[in-house]
Amino acid sequence: MIFRNDLLLRVARGEEVPRTPVWLMRQAGRVLPEYRAVREKAGSFIHLVKTPELAAEVTVQPVDIFGVDAAIIFSDILVIPEAMGLPYEMAEATGPRFPAVVRTQRDVELLRVADGSELKYVTDAIALVKKVLNGRVPLIGFAGAPFTLLAYMVEGKGSKTFSVAKQFLYTNPTAAHALLEKITASTLNYLSAQVEAGADIVQIFDSWAGILGPDMYREFSLRYLTVLCREIKRRFKIPVILFPKDAHFVRSEITETGCDVMSMDWTMDIAETRAMTGDRITLQGNADPCLLYASEERIVEGVVEMLRAYGPHRHIANLGHGLYPDIEKSKVKLFVDAVKDFRFQGRTG
């Protein structure tokens, strides 16, 4: 497909571009009154996710309203556990919850490997979004990292420590690896289906990477991320973004997974990370979402500081995590516009 704006894809591939591209995690969400209206019409978050027409509508909203350089399909990382036979619930105040959990080898054996057909509502939404965008900007597909999904499936809910999930890794590593293998196979099928439906680039969210130490992360996460990245690249040759939140220790090793982009949280030092990764990978991020609570002047200053720290090459502007729901819509637009308005002297592309 020929895009009117392909900045994101070009930077992900390491090409020179005239300005830094920008999109935001959770850009299609509660910060937008337009999203909240669709969410109310849907009746529940899960119904919104599973209704392609509504999911497509909220996916495109940030492109129309904020002018971001990419759309990201509206969905949830927990659709994979559900497709494997472990349904989830979503409460507005407390977040996700699994009525049943995985704690034994037998529990793992009862789960199936999802082939992607169970998630047709996501691929149907992708097809609808591609028609509406009509080449304006690329569409990002996504999935949760195998370890992050394991954490929810074993713990049964969100947690600050995920101590139950970590106990599972220490006390039953054979079952843990069996579960991770099933999740990885399911996720590969799912991401493949997204690309076949029209996703131009994919991001893998390892939201709970930081709760593991280096050795545990290498054993229970990085090896499966490497399988996903290399196989997606082999099958489709599209860019892959990894987001290992809070996992400072893994930054140099991420370059060996086969991914094209590493997304950074706001606690990662930009210069240090660039030194660790060199020119081998594009970096994404990493403004603190709380910057958007600041004055308009401070937001613009923060954007300029971030862009200068990364420099003119191999950077996708984003936040270090998702938008918070009480951030003002106008502040989000200001952030996006500030990135788009900035130019490095002598930049070409």
Side-chain angles (χ1 to χ4, degrees), residues 20-155:
T20 301
V22 57
W23 70 279
L24 305 170
M25 286 182 269
R26 292 197 196 132
Q27 63 187 18
R30 289 178 289 172
V31 72
L32 285 172
E34 294 86 350
Y35 163 82
R36 293 195 295 270
V38 178
R39 166 70 173 77
E40 185 175 350
K41 181 167 60 175
S44 73
F45 172 84
I46 292 177
H47 184 67
L48 175 53
V49 166
K50 292 185 175 182
T51 307
E53 295 77 12
L54 298 181
E57 182 178 352
V58 297
T59 297
V60 176
Q61 284 175 347
V63 178
D64 295 334
I65 296 167
F66 296 138
V68 288
D69 294 309
I72 180 166
I73 192 64
F74 184 82
S75 187
D76 193 88
I77 64 171
L78 300 181
V79 298
I80 278 288
E82 181 168 70
M84 294 174 65
L86 202 72
Y88 70 105
E89 301 170 350
M90 186 68 74
E92 195 72 30
T94 58
R97 175 183 170 274
F98 285 89
V101 293
V102 178
R103 298 285 168 82
T104 67
Q105 181 72 36
R106 179 58 179 161
D107 293 336
V108 175
E109 291 169 357
L110 291 173
L111 296 172
R112 61 180 172 269
V113 171
D115 63 13
S117 63
E118 306 92 339
L119 296 163
K120 188 174 183 296
Y121 55 86
V122 178
T123 54
D124 284 350
I126 287 174
L128 289 172
V129 169
K130 291 293 287 187
K131 289 180 182 177
V132 175
L133 289 177
N134 193 27
R136 276 192 288 164
V137 295
L139 176 62
I140 304 167
F142 76 90
F147 169 70
T148 285
L149 297 183
L150 175 147
Y152 281 112
M153 295 167 78
V154 176
E155 195 84 20

Side-chain angles (χ1 to χ4, degrees), residues 175-186:
H177 280 299
L179 177 56
L180 287 164
E181 287 171 4
K182 280 193 169 182
I183 297 171
T184 300
S186 299

